[in-house]
Amino acid sequence: SSGINAEWPLRPGLVNTNDNKNPHRSKSLICVPMKTKGVSVHRKINKMGMHSSDTAEITMENVRVPLDNIIGEEGKGFQQQMNQFQNERIYAAAGAIPAMDRAIQETIAYTSQRQAFGKSILDNQYVHYRLAELQTEVECLRALLYQCVQQHVAGEDITPQATMLKLKSGRLVREVTDSCLQFWGGMGYTDDVIISRLWRDTRLISIGGGADEVMLNVICKYMGIDPGSRG
């Protein structure tokens, strides 16, 4: 991310820094400034969404950095990476919820003034019932977010809850934006309205920070129903 435009982007890399046979204790997080010798930016990658954040294809060949570029403790990069996932998953939900709120409110505003067959689109029972259903789902997710934040601040291990939060956020935001876009008709398929951007940008939530399938795997392990967990 930001590999094209940032003047001082730091790329944390999880790399082997010792010969420990335990793969979870042999890795460290390393900061690699983009101007370091051996770092090459090949091209900007065009994405379907998140256009304000550039993404670059980067290669590193014989790159060396000072020991001071290690983030945290040497050999504990894996644990540090796992710990930050809880923050990232909470952040994903915290970003998804206002996006869903806006999608619903913008859709209400548009459908209330868009006329078809002598009445507004919003006056159709299916439309306003569906929007009520979606808002209810968003409020349930908001409650789970608040619970996760409260437990996290208290120092509790929220790995299963944060994982469920991330999974539900990615799936619900897809449902909300897709359902809302449908009510915009052909206009929703254009780049001239906000709903198409919300649909494109939020699709990343089910992919970035751990795909839905990874979230399900983590949840299954905590439930003890993963084949490997049952042993």
Side-chain angles (χ1 to χ4, degrees), residues 50 88-104 138 141-142 145 165-174 176-177 198 201-206:
M50 294 291 184
E88 185 174 4
R89 289 164 187 169
I90 290 174
Y91 173 79
I97 289 173
M100 288 186 279
D101 285 336
R102 184 171 185 187
I104 292 170
V138 173
L141 184 65
R142 199 189 317 270
L145 170 63
L165 176 67
K166 165 70 164 57
L167 174 68
K168 185 63 176 178
S169 297
R171 291 188 167 183
L172 183 59
V173 77
R174 287 155 61 186
V176 169
T177 55
L198 292 171
D201 286 356
T202 57
R203 185 61 180 83
L204 179 63
I205 297 174
S206 278

Side-chain angles (χ1 to χ4, degrees), residues 16-69:
N16 290 323
T17 54
N18 62 55
D19 296 327
N20 195 313
K21 293 183 179 180
N22 185 338
H24 296 161
R25 298 186 182 278
S26 63
K27 296 174 175 58
S28 301
L29 286 172
I30 307 291
C31 273
V32 182
M34 294 297 293
K35 293 183 179 180
T36 304
K37 183 179 179 181
V39 178
S40 301
V41 179
H42 288 280
R43 67 186 179 95
K44 177 181 178 180
I45 298 174
N46 295 319
K47 307 187 299 291
M48 64 176 284
M50 294 291 184
H51 296 156
S52 61
S53 172
D54 68 89
T55 302
E57 180 180 325
I58 299 169
T59 59
M60 299 184 185
E61 185 175 357
N62 298 322
V63 175
R64 299 178 66 87
V65 295
L67 189 62
D68 289 343
N69 284 35

Side-chain angles (χ1 to χ4, degrees), residues 16-215:
N16 290 323
T17 54
N18 62 55
D19 296 327
N20 195 313
K21 293 183 179 180
N22 185 338
H24 296 161
R25 298 186 182 278
S26 63
K27 296 174 175 58
S28 301
L29 286 172
I30 307 291
C31 273
V32 182
M34 294 297 293
K35 293 183 179 180
T36 304
K37 183 179 179 181
V39 178
S40 301
V41 179
H42 288 280
R43 67 186 179 95
K44 177 181 178 180
I45 298 174
N46 295 319
K47 307 187 299 291
M48 64 176 284
M50 294 291 184
H51 296 156
S52 61
S53 172
D54 68 89
T55 302
E57 180 180 325
I58 299 169
T59 59
M60 299 184 185
E61 185 175 357
N62 298 322
V63 175
R64 299 178 66 87
V65 295
L67 189 62
D68 289 343
N69 284 35
I70 289 180
I71 302 174
E73 295 184 49
E74 192 276 331
K76 293 193 175 180
F78 181 83
Q79 293 92 325
Q80 293 169 203
Q81 189 73 48
M82 292 302 102
N83 289 337
Q84 72 87 26
F85 276 141
Q86 312 323 316
N87 292 331
E88 185 174 4
R89 289 164 187 169
I90 290 174
Y91 173 79
I97 289 173
M100 288 186 279
D101 285 336
R102 184 171 185 187
I104 292 170
Q105 290 304 313
E106 293 283 355
T107 301
I108 291 172
Y110 178 77
T111 57
S112 65
Q113 56 85 28
R114 181 74 170 88
Q115 298 287 313
F117 305 107
K119 60 181 179 180
S120 73
I121 300 297
L122 186 61
D123 283 340
N124 289 280
Q125 187 182 73
Y126 174 75
V127 176
H128 55 256
Y129 273 20
R130 180 59 176 150
L131 291 171
E133 288 177 338
L134 295 174
Q135 190 67 64
T136 301
E137 291 290 324
V138 173
E139 293 307 318
C140 289
L141 184 65
R142 199 189 317 270
L144 178 57
L145 170 63
Y146 291 167
Q147 176 188 324
C148 284
V149 171
Q150 186 176 31
Q151 291 179 272
H152 190 47
V153 171
E156 299 178 29
D157 178 14
I158 60 162
T159 301
Q161 292 87 351
T163 305
M164 294 173 186
L165 176 67
K166 165 70 164 57
L167 174 68
K168 185 63 176 178
S169 297
R171 291 188 167 183
L172 183 59
V173 77
R174 287 155 61 186
E175 181 182 358
V176 169
T177 55
D178 192 72
S179 295
C180 287
L181 188 149
Q182 187 71 20
F183 296 147
W184 290 65
M187 197 66 189
Y189 196 66
T190 71
D191 287 338
D192 293 342
V193 293
I194 187 61
I195 193 63
S196 62
R197 178 180 178 181
L198 292 171
W199 182 83
R200 291 192 314 270
D201 286 356
T202 57
R203 185 61 180 83
L204 179 63
I205 297 174
S206 278
I207 301 171
D212 284 1
E213 292 74 20
V214 175
M215 301 300 99

